[in-house]
Amino acid sequence: MIPLDKKRDVFILWFIKRHTKREISRKVNMSRGTVDKIIKECQGRIEELNLTFDADLFSHMDEIVVASSIQRKRKPYKLTPDTISLIEEMVLNNEKLARMGSEDAKNIIELFEGFQKQKKEKPNLITDFSIDYFYKLVRKIKDKIHEEGI
């Protein structure tokens, strides 16, 4: 969600001071796509309010720049102990293979694909999460292994 003050900054820089999207992007420190999204949102609000092209937009800024109505809240993945123990076991075995110099050692993508295949054998596993989350779990497990040893 984009903070309201950043939206106001974009509004002022685009509609009042007439900067380019690239300049706004650099000044406000956000992507040009996000800047474009904010500008289109403001243009839509201007049309809804039936403001003419010669209207003082700065005086109507509070009506034009509004907070997002969508409040997105992400839920963390709740993994079962079975799922976590399987991932730990896979990483531990893979680390042992890697230390022995075996060609059977896998990278994280291959581990993730192998983990996803386990769903058929063990239906109580939770496998509906991203590879990024899997990578973070593997990173934590590897850090723990490096601290405590195998």
Side-chain angles (χ1 to χ4, degrees), residues 66-121:
V66 293
S68 298
S69 60
I70 300 171
Q71 298 292 328
R72 188 174 81 175
K73 200 168 193 178
R74 291 186 179 175
K75 296 178 184 175
Y77 296 110
K78 294 192 177 185
L79 302 180
T80 61
D82 293 338
T83 305
I84 294 171
S85 65
L86 177 66
I87 295 171
E88 287 175 346
E89 181 182 324
M90 290 175 72
V91 172
L92 187 63
N93 289 337
N94 195 55
E95 283 294 301
K96 288 178 183 177
L97 289 171
R99 289 188 183 172
M100 299 302 263
S102 174
E103 292 180 7
D104 294 333
K106 300 176 181 177
N107 61 29
I108 292 181
I109 295 172
E110 293 168 338
L111 278 176
F112 183 68
E113 289 169 355
F115 173 73
Q116 293 288 341
K117 291 177 184 173
Q118 295 290 324
K119 180 70 175 173
K120 293 176 185 172
E121 298 171 16

Side-chain angles (χ1 to χ4, degrees), residues 16-74:
I16 309 301
K17 296 184 178 178
R18 301 301 300 157
H19 288 270
T20 64
K21 291 177 185 176
R22 182 172 287 182
E23 290 171 333
I24 296 169
S25 174
R26 287 187 189 131
K27 287 184 179 189
V28 184
N29 193 23
M30 66 174 54
S31 73
R32 280 183 276 169
T34 306
V35 169
D36 192 47
K37 177 182 170 186
I38 294 169
I39 290 169
K40 286 181 181 176
E41 182 182 310
C42 291
Q43 288 170 340
R45 291 285 300 154
I46 290 170
E47 286 179 18
E48 288 175 16
L49 295 170
N50 293 324
L51 297 175
T52 60
F53 69 93
D54 59 345
D56 182 20
L57 296 179
F58 192 74
S59 63
H60 296 284
M61 184 169 65
D62 292 333
E63 299 166 359
I64 297 170
V65 181
V66 293
S68 298
S69 60
I70 300 171
Q71 298 292 328
R72 188 174 81 175
K73 200 168 193 178
R74 291 186 179 175

